[in-house]
Amino acid sequence: NLTTKFQYAGILDASGDLDRTMFRDENATKLISNYSAAWARIAFERRQAGDKDGAIEALWNAGRISPEYRPYLAAMGALLVEAERFDEARAFYEKSLAIAKTDVERYDAEMGLGMVHERTKNYEAAEAAYRQSLQYSPLSQEPYFSLYQMFFLTGDLERSAGVLREWLARNPGDAKTRQRLEALERQIQARSGDLASEPATLLLAY
């Protein structure tokens, strides 16, 4: 019905993108976002049904109607990564970074790029993106956790521990992370037994 009954006259141009030649006040802009919300709901339902490509198509339609629609910006890249469409995900996050207007948007784009690079085993680029995200949200724990996890999973326990030390330098009162660091340092010193046994438990509970 969203494509057969609604023609989006005055909303979309001939190519199907938002018609930016039309003047719209704030109320009209908010009203248009309702169409995006409908497509976002369809995307959610399709993803729940296991139709990742169908979910991406629906969310893409939401973004064409309202390019700055927050659920579209927040979910599109992650959906593309989930579907292992990594080139598209990287392009999406790069575009999001280029048009970002706030530090929150820049942070989200850099974290997304880090995720894409990590999934494609470009670990140097992933580290750069995660660290760049800290320029926009210095107090966020997520980039530190992402780095800690990435180094741990690639077997670089020394760098994994180094990330925990960086976090503790900024948050010395974080007792749980200090305990994790101590356990990881014991694992590094031991260098015997199952490499992942103790740190893996800590990783999941971070």
Side-chain angles (χ1 to χ4, degrees):
N1 286 344
L2 285 176
T3 56
T4 57
K5 290 187 176 181
F6 297 102
Q7 300 302 312
Y8 303 103
I11 299 177
L12 303 181
D13 59 22
S15 67
D17 293 321
L18 181 67
D19 186 353
R20 296 186 179 277
T21 65
M22 299 287 293
F23 170 77
R24 301 180 182 88
D25 61 17
E26 183 177 353
N27 289 331
T29 299
K30 289 181 179 179
L31 182 62
I32 289 172
S33 71
N34 289 334
Y35 292 105
S36 291
W39 278 114
R41 180 63 185 179
I42 290 173
F44 173 80
E45 295 293 341
R46 288 178 177 176
R47 182 181 179 277
Q48 290 291 97
D51 182 6
K52 295 177 183 177
D53 290 334
I56 290 168
E57 180 185 11
L59 200 56
W60 179 73
N61 283 327
R64 295 187 81 182
I65 295 170
S66 302
E68 297 179 0
Y69 182 56
R70 186 63 186 169
Y72 160 72
L73 294 173
M76 189 62 167
L79 264 178
L80 289 166
V81 170
E82 188 176 324
E84 298 186 348
R85 292 163 61 168
F86 298 120
D87 289 342
E88 293 172 77
R90 181 167 49 251
F92 173 81
Y93 284 123
E94 287 173 347
K95 181 179 179 181
S96 296
L97 184 60
I99 65 175
K101 298 177 181 178
T102 68
D103 280 351
V104 171
E105 292 171 349
R106 296 182 186 96
Y107 170 85
D108 288 344
E110 289 288 4
M111 285 299 297
L113 282 171
M115 176 175 58
V116 173
H117 290 313
E118 183 177 355
R119 287 290 302 276
T120 55
K121 299 183 179 182
N122 188 350
Y123 299 120
E124 184 176 344
E127 180 183 5
Y130 288 142
R131 291 196 179 280
Q132 184 62 34
S133 73
L134 287 168
Q135 299 298 313
Y136 306 119
S137 184
L139 300 180
S140 177
Q141 187 181 35
E142 185 181 12
Y144 290 99
F145 172 71
S146 296
L147 287 166
Y148 160 60
Q149 177 178 255
M150 181 178 73
F151 291 138
F152 168 78
L153 291 176
T154 55
D156 195 338
L157 300 190
E158 288 82 1
R159 295 187 72 184
S160 185
V163 172
L164 295 185
R165 294 187 191 101
E166 289 181 51
W167 171 256
L168 286 169
R170 287 177 172 269
N171 303 272
D174 187 343
K176 288 185 178 180
T177 297
R178 190 168 299 281
Q179 291 174 355
R180 295 184 180 104
L181 174 60
E182 291 170 355
L184 186 53
E185 288 175 334
R186 289 195 297 271
Q187 185 72 19
I188 292 171
Q189 292 175 358
R191 289 292 184 178
S192 62
D194 181 4
L195 179 65
S197 60
E198 186 175 16
T201 302
L202 301 173
L203 187 72
L204 294 173
Y206 194 88

Coordinates of all heavy atoms in Angstrom, one line a residue, residues 79 98 100 171:
L79 N 22.3 -2.6 9.9 CA 21.6 -3.6 9.1 C 22.5 -4.0 7.9 O 22.5 -5.2 7.6 CB 20.3 -3.0 8.5 CG 19.0 -3.2 9.3 CD1 17.9 -2.5 8.6 CD2 18.8 -4.7 9.4
A98 N 30.3 12.7 6.6 CA 30.5 13.9 5.7 C 29.4 14.9 6.0 O 29.6 16.1 5.9 CB 30.6 13.5 4.3
A100 N 27.4 15.0 8.8 CA 27.1 15.2 10.2 C 27.2 16.6 10.6 O 28.1 17.4 10.2 CB 28.1 14.3 11.0
N171 N 39.2 7.0 34.5 CA 38.2 6.6 35.4 C 38.8 5.7 36.5 O 38.5 4.5 36.6 CB 37.1 5.9 34.7 CG 36.4 6.7 33.6 OD1 35.5 7.4 33.8 ND2 37.0 6.5 32.4

